[in-house]
Amino acid sequence: MTPLTDRDRLSEEQRRRIEMLQGLLAEEAAQKASLARALQYEQQKTEELINAVPWMVLWVSSDFKYKEVNSFFARFNGAPPKAFEDREVGTCGEDQELTDIMRRFVCDVSSKTAAAEVHLVRDGAPQSFLLLMHRSKLRSDASIIGIDVTRQKRGETELRKQTQRAETAASELRRALANNEKMRRRAEAMSKAKGEFLAVMSHELRTPMGGVLGMLDLLGESDLTPQQQEYLE
């Protein structure tokens, strides 16, 4: 057996190192592929979740262009999500009030978060949304979530109407009670005046009537003709 020379041993060492490096590279490639698949899966789940929620979800760049919008926002504005990508906000048929609120937040770089309420009309029906806006720490892009609070607002409106009706009924009841009290006092005053009047009249009538009756008694004891006696009786 021919002994290995230094050159042969060096070549063998290099071969082992190359094989080990190839193994490490293959393992790293497999890990990257696995991470890429996991990341793609997570992105897909996130996208499905964002498109499933009944809220507006969108991202706006610092130059006021749409980066991405979810299905709800796209349907609400009558276009597919892809139609909004890299389009300037306000050029896709959006409501002007919504556009103005987003523009103020994007332009105010000092604001990291903000909230606002917007009232929109779709298909003749009013809808209310609570906008929650957040600015990215790494970029100046803004993420915006619009939560539909229409039912809550309708409940608040109905509650205000019921409260107003209750207050109106209470006010009418207070007026009725006040009128009843006024009428009661007037009736008491009239009753008192009537009693005082009757007492005075009774006294005024009794005094002269006593004299009249006394005179009639005296007249009955005097000599009267039969006809005068009949008249007296």
Side-chain angles (χ1 to χ4, degrees):
M1 183 175 179
T2 305
L4 294 175
T5 62
D6 291 342
R7 183 175 180 179
D8 293 335
R9 283 194 292 269
L10 181 60
S11 297
E12 182 66 19
E13 181 67 23
Q14 288 177 342
R15 185 184 63 79
R16 286 198 301 269
R17 289 183 178 180
I18 290 173
E19 289 178 352
M20 184 171 58
L21 182 60
Q22 288 176 340
L24 291 173
L25 290 174
E27 184 180 351
E28 184 179 358
Q31 289 178 350
K32 286 183 177 180
S34 176
L35 288 174
R37 288 193 298 270
L39 179 60
Q40 183 180 6
Y41 176 70
E42 291 298 328
Q43 288 177 337
Q44 183 178 356
K45 285 201 306 182
T46 302
E47 184 177 350
E48 290 175 354
L49 177 61
I50 290 174
N51 285 319
V53 295
W55 304 337
M56 296 179 179
V57 182
L58 55 146
W59 289 264
V60 178
S61 64
S62 58
D63 56 353
F64 209 52
K65 291 183 178 180
Y66 289 112
K67 303 297 291 183
E68 188 177 352
V69 303
N70 74 333
S71 298
F72 182 91
F73 181 84
R75 287 195 306 270
F76 191 85
N77 290 283
K82 291 293 183 181
F84 292 84
E85 290 184 4
D86 294 322
R87 291 280 301 277
E88 184 177 352
V89 176
T91 62
C92 302
E94 312 92 307
D95 187 274
Q96 187 62 44
E97 183 181 359
L98 175 62
T99 302
D100 292 342
I101 291 175
M102 292 192 296
R103 184 183 296 276
R104 284 196 296 270
F105 178 74
V106 171
C107 293
D108 185 9
V109 295
S110 62
S111 297
K112 301 303 179 185
T113 60
E117 194 172 297
V118 61
H119 305 284
L120 310 177
V121 177
R122 282 296 178 275
D123 299 327
Q127 290 184 257
S128 300
F129 290 87
L130 176 63
L131 299 182
L132 303 176
M133 297 168 282
H134 176 76
R135 195 182 307 278
S136 172
K137 292 182 178 180
L138 300 178
R139 304 184 305 274
S140 56
D141 295 353
S143 59
I144 301 170
I145 298 175
I147 302 174
D148 190 350
V149 294
T150 305
R151 288 185 178 179
Q152 292 88 328
K153 286 297 174 183
R154 287 174 181 170
E156 292 175 2
T157 301
E158 183 61 27
L159 180 60
R160 283 195 296 269
K161 289 180 179 179
Q162 291 180 0
T163 302
Q164 186 175 5
R165 287 195 292 265
E167 290 176 350
T168 301
S171 178
E172 292 177 353
L173 178 60
R174 285 193 294 269
R175 284 197 297 269
L177 291 175
N179 289 335
N180 288 342
E181 179 64 17
K182 187 183 296 183
M183 293 176 65
R184 185 186 65 80
R185 292 179 180 178
R186 183 180 298 176
E188 289 179 350
M190 292 177 63
S191 178
K192 182 178 179 182
K194 178 181 178 181
E196 292 176 349
F197 173 77
L198 291 177
V200 171
M201 289 303 297
S202 176
H203 174 73
E204 294 296 331
L205 288 173
R206 283 198 305 270
T207 301
M209 284 299 292
V212 171
L213 292 174
M215 292 298 294
L216 290 175
D217 288 340
L218 291 175
L219 185 60
E221 294 176 357
S222 61
D223 295 330
L224 297 175
T225 64
Q227 187 177 9
Q228 289 174 335
Q229 187 68 38
E230 183 180 354
Y231 291 157
L232 178 60
E233 292 175 357

